Amino acid sequence: MISAIQAAPLPQPHSKSWSAAQSHALEVLTEQLTLSTEQLDMLANEFVRQMRTGLAVSDTSDLAMIPTYVTGRPNGTERGCYLALDLGGTNLRVCLITLKGGHELETQQRMFKVSQELQEAEVSKLMEFIALSIKDFLARDHINATLVEHASDSDRLEMGFTFSFPVSQTAIDAGMLLRWTKGFSCAGAVGHDIVHLLQTALDQNDVKVHVAALVNDTVGTLLAHAYTYPNTCLGAIFGTGTNGAYLENTKNVPKLKTTAQEMVINIEWGNFDKDKTVLPVTIYDNKVDRESINPGLQVFEKMISGMYLGEITRNVLLHLIDQRLLFDGKSSTVLNRQWGLEAATMSAIEDDKSPNLIPTSQILESALDIGLHTLADREIVQRVCHLVGQRAARLSAMATAAVIRQGLSGSTGGDSSGILREYRHVLRAGGDESRVQDSTEALVEPIHVGIDGSVFEHYPGFRAAMNQTLEELLGPAAARVVRLETTKDGSGVGAALAALMAHKDAMAARK
Ligand code: BGC
């Protein structure tokens, strides 16, 4: 089945300036970090299998497959003015979003820094900080409910909250934190309703805001992208963390009792294969995982996302240093320190296309305090960054392809009811390929994938590697049919759209 798929060429690990031992070490690393089409195809099939297990019964799969109670997609005609709150990493953003219809909108926003101390504080402290930040935003920008045009009959502003952590939702405005990720560890939050915690802090601090909707950033990205491109099937994040949310036919979600026909599902794909049974983890990945604050969890995220790429690379470089194959066996205090190498530094190194890698030389000195190095050293560092970055891009595309495959076949039983079924004649669904006509030039509406996150946006070659891998896994038509696009401010706009949808439903229910 796979033989028809063109495999990506293995990057050539040799350079004239390397010793035989350096070339050999790089050959081994290339072997360990390069994923073939066959491996990715197998991973995508396993990913679909874990998706279906998670859709069938709660708590049976590494993929939580969380129903979000968002039961449709916007189409760009929505209008209204809503507050949006975005918490997912080191920044908290408060926005006022004016949806103008006709796919147009306006945003007003302020950022607040969430200190390391707050990320590890008691959750009431974090919530109080959020409430006071909103209060500050409203006061400084003179915003109150009377100025804001929406169909509310109260004096409170309606707000959507994008909370980018795994939450088990019971309604659009209620959800319990399953676990912290990305370095957060506030006590008193896991197992508690995040909306309740925030609403309490808002009320205690006399902030006239009502939390109308709670969404994951991937859900926000999906909704925001659909506001511009209604045929958006997946919202994904490739940033500090990684995850995806997609629209599923509820017939394929046996664990959910609902009358809605479709619902957005938050996959929480960062936790894919947490027991490392199929993912080709290396000793470097295991080290990153073991030394993280959540060992044995989010293993896929730790191979892909911006928070960990530098850490994997740092471990590889230290291993080479310890064999005296790099920097003449000498490290630096920065490079020896956990989190000492950032993904942004890797990006800058990969960006260097000069023959003698002089910019890389400056980066090694300024970011890593490595003053003495040869051209061979710089080439090796660049090669390692490339291998780690490419692997992340190919794994990211694998998850994307798996979600599209689920949409193509989409059945947990015998009934094919995936929402992308009409694309089955042009895209490979894995398994039975006989229906796919790769040569079909049929004009089909593109499938849009909305993506947010610094890795996708800024890491050199990431998007190109994802596109190439999608073609390998879904067939040549993927280049024409599947559009990977950057979503601008998915978390803010998506939260506002979710608040609008929730508010409308609540008003309708009251009538
Ligand atoms: C979280 C997800 C989130 C993703 C991207 C992961 O660590 O578990 O909920 O969507 O990061 O921000």
Side-chain angles (χ1 to χ4, degrees):
M1 220 49 81
I2 300 297
S3 56
I5 300 174
Q6 223 197 345
L10 276 187
Q12 286 307 306
H14 301 286
S15 160
K16 277 193 271 186
S17 53
W18 298 354
S19 68
Q22 286 174 321
S23 295
H24 175 70
L26 267 290
E27 259 169 41
V28 172
L29 280 171
T30 304
E31 180 79 30
Q32 289 175 323
L33 293 166
T34 307
L35 301 178
S36 68
T37 309
E38 286 79 358
Q39 271 175 300
L40 291 166
D41 187 73
M42 176 278 289
L43 288 173
N45 288 340
E46 175 59 17
F47 197 103
V48 172
R49 197 191 64 75
Q50 290 196 15
M51 282 176 81
R52 293 182 184 172
T53 310
L55 289 172
V57 187
S58 299
D59 305 324
T60 51
S61 168
D62 291 348
L63 298 178
M65 306 302 290
I66 302 166
T68 62
Y69 298 87
V70 173
T71 52
R73 282 175 290 193
N75 59 17
T77 60
E78 294 76 7
R79 298 167 69 94
C81 206
Y82 292 86
L83 273 183
L85 183 69
D86 175 19
L87 177 72
T90 47
N91 288 317
L92 170 76
R93 229 157 33 101
V94 189
C95 327
L96 183 72
I97 311 251
T98 311
L99 303 162
K100 299 175 156 183
H103 308 282
E104 298 286 325
L105 56 90
E106 231 175 63
T107 306
Q108 198 177 326
Q109 65 168 11
R110 272 183 204 275
M111 299 263 240
F112 300 84
K113 181 134 189 63
V114 186
S115 64
Q116 186 70 36
E117 201 186 330
L118 268 176
Q119 293 179 34
E120 294 165 11
E122 221 273 317
V123 73
S124 59
K125 289 262 172 309
L126 177 70
M127 292 299 167
E128 183 185 26
F129 166 78
I130 298 176
L132 294 176
S133 302
I134 298 172
K135 196 171 190 168
D136 181 62
F137 171 74
L138 297 178
R140 283 213 255 167
D141 291 342
H142 310 291
I143 298 162
N144 62 53
T146 58
L147 293 176
V148 173
E149 231 189 281
H150 59 68
S152 172
D153 54 4
S154 80
D155 63 343
R156 298 197 295 182
L157 285 158
E158 298 295 322
M159 181 173 78
F161 182 14
T162 296
F163 182 70
S164 311
F165 299 94
V167 164
S168 164
Q169 294 207 222
T170 45
I172 182 98
D173 61 352
M176 190 184 81
L177 180 66
L178 293 173
R179 60 183 177 275
W180 285 113
T181 58
K182 298 177 287 197
F184 275 68
S185 58
C186 300
V190 173
H192 294 269
D193 180 5
I194 294 300
V195 173
H196 179 71
L197 289 171
L198 179 58
Q199 192 65 60
T200 306
L202 289 166
D203 296 346
Q204 279 168 354
N205 290 282
D206 197 27
V207 187
K208 297 221 173 314
V209 168
H210 170 237
V211 189
L214 178 71
V215 287
N216 186 261
D217 50 354
T218 52
V219 180
T221 299
L222 173 61
L223 296 179
H225 209 71
Y227 189 71
T228 312
Y229 303 104
N231 198 35
T232 300
C233 74
L234 168 66
I237 307 286
F238 301 111
T240 308
T242 185
N243 187 15
Y246 75 112
L247 195 69
E248 179 62 277
N249 187 331
T250 54
K251 270 198 206 157
N252 295 325
V253 195
K255 71 178 176 185
L256 179 70
K257 301 282 162 273
T258 177
T259 51
Q261 278 189 342
E262 295 178 340
M263 189 175 287
V264 176
I265 303 288
N266 169 12
I267 302 171
E268 283 298 333
W269 73 33
N271 202 41
F272 171 60
D273 195 35
K274 72 171 181 357
D275 298 325
K276 306 173 190 173
T277 53
V278 285
L279 280 170
V281 287
T282 62
I283 50 170
Y284 313 106
D285 300 301
N286 280 326
K287 192 157 184 302
V288 170
D289 180 33
R290 196 174 295 125
E291 291 168 359
S292 69
I293 63 163
N294 52 354
L297 293 172
Q298 303 291 109
V299 167
F300 186 59
E301 174 163 89
K302 289 171 187 162
M303 298 173 86
I304 289 187
S305 76
M307 176 155 174
Y308 305 97
L309 291 183
E311 196 51 15
I312 303 167
T313 305
R314 192 182 70 87
N315 283 328
V316 177
L317 297 183
L318 287 179
H319 194 214
L320 291 170
I321 290 171
D322 289 347
Q323 299 168 81
R324 291 194 80 117
L325 296 172
L326 187 67
F327 306 143
D328 197 24
K330 296 185 188 64
S331 186
S332 68
T333 314
V334 185
L335 197 56
N336 284 344
R337 195 169 55 220
Q338 192 187 22
W339 312 118
L341 172 56
E342 293 182 2
T345 307
M346 294 169 64
S347 281
I349 291 173
E350 276 231 57
D351 237 352
D352 182 2
K353 302 286 180 292
S354 69
N356 291 320
L357 303 179
I358 301 302
T360 296
S361 158
Q362 284 151 4
I363 297 165
L364 289 177
E365 174 121 37
S366 62
L368 299 178
D369 203 17
I370 302 274
L372 285 179
H373 40 76
T374 61
L375 175 61
D377 287 333
R378 299 196 287 280
E379 286 175 342
I380 288 173
V381 173
Q382 196 180 52
R383 172 71 65 193
V384 172
C385 293
H386 185 70
L387 290 170
V388 173
Q390 286 285 306
R391 186 185 67 158
R394 285 173 71 70
L395 284 171
S396 302
M398 179 282 291
T400 307
V403 177
I404 292 176
R405 282 184 178 178
Q406 165 66 7
L408 295 170
S409 56
S411 158
T412 46
D415 161 35
S416 280
S417 46
I419 62 155
L420 297 177
R421 57 193 172 279
E422 74 216 64
Y423 291 89
R424 267 184 296 166
H425 64 295
V426 284
L427 294 176
R428 286 197 182 106
D432 177 13
E433 315 289 59
S434 57
R435 291 174 305 231
V436 178
Q437 301 156 29
D438 286 343
S439 59
T440 317
E441 286 298 324
L443 280 179
V444 284
E445 197 189 341
I447 299 170
H448 295 272
V449 178
I451 304 179
D452 207 347
S454 49
V455 174
F456 179 76
E457 245 191 287
H458 304 302
Y459 199 91
F462 200 88
R463 183 191 292 236
M466 277 191 76
N467 276 321
Q468 153 76 33
T469 311
L470 282 182
E471 273 191 63
E472 290 168 39
L473 297 177
L474 296 172
R480 203 173 71 244
V481 175
V482 182
R483 302 268 164 88
L484 303 182
E485 291 149 338
T486 305
T487 307
K488 281 279 162 235
D489 191 18
S491 300
V493 177
L497 283 160
L500 173 145
M501 288 155 112
H503 185 57
K504 278 201 171 146
D505 285 353
M507 299 298 281
R510 264 200 253 163
K511 279 184 190 155

